[in-house]
Amino acid sequence: MNTGVTEANPVLGFWVFAFCLTMPATLLVYAAIVDRNTIEGAVERPDDSIEAGWHDKAASRSFTDLILILGVAGTVVAFLPGEITVNLKLVLPAVLILCAVLFGVRYLLQRRKG
């Protein structure tokens, strides 16, 4: 796929993309490699924190919600008369957005419960 952004100067395109990806790549390496014991004030076992519990409950419950919603939607679409054509370029991002919204709502509810 050619977008025409760097057609005239591919070297410039390389350096622009390299510049844009440097910080995220550095943060990824830092998160993956740095020892938690070297960070002052870091929690010893972050998986045992309250927030981690909220995250786990929100993730499992939002997955259950997603299965329910997609199951009901699939059933309804199966019994609709006529043929329905679907563009996957629209459906898949919509499902991703639905996942993010469901998780966000469930996490806020868990945080509010305490």
Side-chain angles (χ1 to χ4, degrees):
M1 182 172 139
N2 190 358
T3 60
V5 176
T6 60
E7 269 182 18
N9 194 348
V11 175
L12 175 65
F14 169 79
W15 285 111
V16 168
F17 283 110
F19 177 75
C20 292
L21 292 175
T22 298
M23 186 56 70
T26 304
L27 292 174
L28 178 65
V29 169
Y30 181 80
I33 295 177
V34 174
D35 184 17
R36 297 193 60 77
N37 295 330
T38 61
I39 302 172
E40 191 173 317
V43 179
E44 190 171 320
R45 293 190 321 240
D47 291 341
D48 294 340
S49 68
I50 294 171
E51 290 83 7
W54 295 343
H55 180 276
D56 291 343
K57 288 180 183 177
S60 65
R61 291 176 182 172
S62 63
F63 181 70
T64 304
D65 293 344
L66 183 67
I67 296 294
L68 177 69
I69 291 170
L70 292 178
V72 169
T75 304
V76 168
V77 168
F79 288 107
L80 287 177
E83 186 175 325
I84 298 175
T85 58
V86 188
N87 186 355
L88 286 180
K89 291 180 183 178
L90 297 176
V91 172
L92 295 178
V95 171
L96 285 174
I97 291 169
L98 178 64
C99 292
V101 168
L102 286 173
F103 177 78
V105 168
R106 284 294 191 168
Y107 186 83
L108 290 175
L109 290 173
Q110 280 300 126
R111 192 173 81 179
R112 178 172 277 178
K113 278 184 182 179

